[in-house]
Amino acid sequence: MTSVSDYLFWIILFFSLLFSLNYVDATLPTFYPKTILSATESSCVVLVFSGKTADEKVFGLLQSLADVSFKDEPAVVVGKLALERDLSNFWPDSQPLKVQNELKRDILNQSIFVFGRLIKDRSCLLNHKKQMKLPTVFQYDVFPKAVQRSVSKMSEATRSIVNEINERCVTFRTTDGSINFKGLHRKEILENLFHISADSHESSADKDIHSYSFADGNESKCYSKTKGHCDSNICQIKEFERPHDECERIRVPSPAHFFHEYLSLSKPVIITGATDKWLAFGKWTKNFLKEKYGKTRVHIKATPDGEYEGVQDRSLWDRHKRFRIPKEVEEQLPYPDLVVERPASLDMLFSEFLDLIENISRGNVVNMSAYLEYSSINDYFPELKSDIKELEFINMIELASLNIWLSDGNTLGKLHFDPFDNLLCQISGEKHVTLFNPHNNERLYEGHMQETQFSYNKSTRSFHRNRLLDSTSMVMSPVDLKRPNLKRFPLFADARPMKCSIKAGEILFMPAFWWHEVQSRPNVSEHRNLAVNFWYKPFLTKEFPCPECRLDVNPKYYHLL
Ligand SMILES: *[C@@H]1O[C@H](CO)[C@@H](O)[C@H](O)[C@H]1NC(C)=O
Ligand SMILES: *[C@@H]1O[C@H](CO)[C@@H](O)[C@H](O)[C@H]1NC(C)=O
Ligand SMILES: *[C@@H]1O[C@H](CO)[C@@H](O)[C@H](O)[C@H]1NC(C)=O
Ligand SMILES: *[C@@H]1O[C@H](CO)[C@@H](O)[C@H](O)[C@H]1NC(C)=O
Ligand SMILES: *[C@@H]1O[C@H](CO)[C@@H](O)[C@H](O)[C@H]1NC(C)=O
Ligand SMILES: *[C@@H]1O[C@H](CO)[C@@H](O)[C@H](O)[C@H]1NC(C)=O
């Protein structure tokens, strides 16, 4: 039952609210520095200053952004800043309000402030609490000299502020609240991303095809996925029974064809005939390289068994009990008992390296694998650049680096992704690449893992697991593709691979964030595997490590929409 005093309370509240508000800012929510910080964790915040000198036109404009243009846009919240704030002592920790352009105090009452969404720092697990993370802030003058304050010019002012907000907040709205053309194009791209076909009809037919045998080779224990759980820790998937797609193979595409059919769909493809004119093929013989660069010092990578960046039990490493990474970091690791094994790093003359890989490939040196990995051609071998050509069909995105990959030929680069669009160009030998798409990264268990590094003792010619590092890897999968532990990583059973094999003269386009494991094979007469790759700033990008984060168009390329 409601009493008389309750009624009285509501009546007083109603009138006090009525008198304290004026008609324009009735519905704009009020923000304080603290609430701005919490709101920017999920959205951009667009505010007007409400003070004694507040401008009614600016309030009206903000109201229309809130009621119309960004009404259905979850990425933007519109409001007013409570009262006149002390800008030099603005944030909860007393830091001043800094704007990216120059702060203009004289026009505060005709300004709109855009506080950008706080992008979570996923790369650093340390120190994240020490300093308050503040959003970037932009101050916009609603009525710069060119825009008169007349009513007829208000739509112009609105249009330009909507465009500015779109740019700062990564939104695609028109003044009337609909999605603009670029936004529709982006939506279409994201709705049509390529998926491995075996991936899309997984829950029905292929359950029967699926069977696993234990890693110890006890075939009698084979079981079908439908029959329930594995009763050993490690099951091995019979790769030939796992449904997979084969990579499409095409001749050199036009830039438009490449963009629409592969790059914007995030679809891997093998391209043939694109390197026909490269001098590299006949020219980069062992003798030529030795003569030209034999005296160059190179950093090479080496492992005992040809596996690069595999994941292993931490307990195999010397001093694993004594070496502790900061507790704060360890607590954030999803698999603190696993480590990524980085190869040993050795310095030698390039001529020594060329001999070493030939010796390994011929079987004269055993229990060692050597790799010159992702080494910049510009830094090490600048003149070689003229023997390869940048590829015309990918001219719409920006090159990040050009690398050379040279090894004894029997290397396995373990399952990982790179945040770049990749053109991998095979020059000698073959690469057999197993790919998994970046759409269900829960299945690949994306996350931070502690790093370790092999050391190599030159006098005993042996490798040691004795360097635990305090860094983490963000791009490796903890799942061992050859011996997946399905008890620990059960979702991996639903991941479907795609197989792409390239030989000399072929190029694999591997879109950014596709997981890949690369088995190299040598050219048997040259005793080596040689490739170059172009890494491009990705067209489709995502936050990482973050299994649930999805691909989106890189804002850097909005001009292509
Ligand atoms: C804006 O503020 C200035 C002083 O800061 C004042 O002179 C001016 O009249 C204000 N404009 C409006 C429209 O209130
Ligand atoms: C294979 O499985 C059978 C039955 O479970 C078991 O008795 C046998 O020891 C296993 N063999 C190996 C090599 O593990
Ligand atoms: C490679 O093998 C040759 C012949 O056995 C030997 O002379 C040379 O020292 C070896 N070089 C390296 C780097 O292993
Ligand atoms: C190479 O490694 C295998 C297995 O660890 C070992 O049995 C063999 O003795 C090693 N060979 C040499 C030459 O070190
Ligand atoms: C390499 O091994 C030898 C023999 O065990 C040892 O004396 C030496 O200290 C080791 N070198 C390094 C750098 O660990
Ligand atoms: C291996 O290299 C040789 C010498 O360059 C070449 O003639 C041959 O075609 C290559 N083999 C393959 C399978 O590409």
Side-chain angles (χ1 to χ4, degrees), residues 118 155 171 264 390 415 559:
L118 284 172
S155 63
T171 52
S264 69
E390 278 193 44
L415 195 55
H559 61 278

Side-chain angles (χ1 to χ4, degrees), residues 227-243:
K227 285 189 191 144
H229 290 295
C230 188
D231 52 17
S232 158
N233 274 341
I234 294 171
C235 293
Q236 190 162 28
I237 291 175
K238 287 181 172 175
E239 278 303 326
F240 55 90
E241 286 185 58
R242 188 181 262 241

Side-chain angles (χ1 to χ4, degrees), residues 289-307:
L289 293 174
K290 207 168 186 175
E291 224 156 82
K292 193 147 176 70
Y293 296 106
K295 298 216 162 61
T296 301
R297 287 208 83 83
V298 289
H299 306 287
I300 66 118
K301 301 289 163 55
T303 72
D305 56 4
E307 291 198 3

Side-chain angles (χ1 to χ4, degrees), residues 281 428-430 504 523-526:
F281 288 90
S428 173
E430 297 178 359
N523 171 314
V524 288
S525 61
E526 294 186 330

Side-chain angles (χ1 to χ4, degrees), residues 53-55 106 109 149:
T53 61
D55 184 325
D106 55 325
N109 58 1
R149 305 174 65 89

Side-chain angles (χ1 to χ4, degrees), residues 196 239 244-249 268-270 371 405 411-418 422-426 429-437 481 496-503 506-511 513-521 529 531-533:
I196 290 172
E239 278 303 326
H244 69 264
D245 275 14
E246 291 286 340
C247 236
E248 193 186 349
R249 243 186 189 74
V269 64
I270 293 170
Y371 210 155
W405 304 73
T411 59
L412 181 66
K414 301 287 281 182
L415 195 55
H416 71 284
F417 64 81
D418 302 304
N422 191 352
L423 289 179
L424 177 59
C425 315
Q426 197 62 35
E430 297 178 359
K431 286 195 195 289
H432 304 280
V433 187
T434 306
L435 295 121
F436 293 88
N437 70 40
L481 191 49
R496 295 288 170 274
M498 178 164 190
K499 306 226 165 168
C500 306
S501 292
I502 50 170
K503 51 185 193 296
E506 294 182 329
I507 296 177
L508 172 59
F509 166 61
M510 209 174 349
F513 297 100
W514 275 72
W515 297 86
H516 52 285
E517 180 149 310
V518 184
Q519 175 69 64
S520 296
R521 293 293 177 211
N529 187 292
V532 297
N533 93 296

Side-chain angles (χ1 to χ4, degrees), residues 456-460 464:
Y456 182 68
N457 187 322
K458 277 190 178 144
S459 60
T460 61
H464 298 277

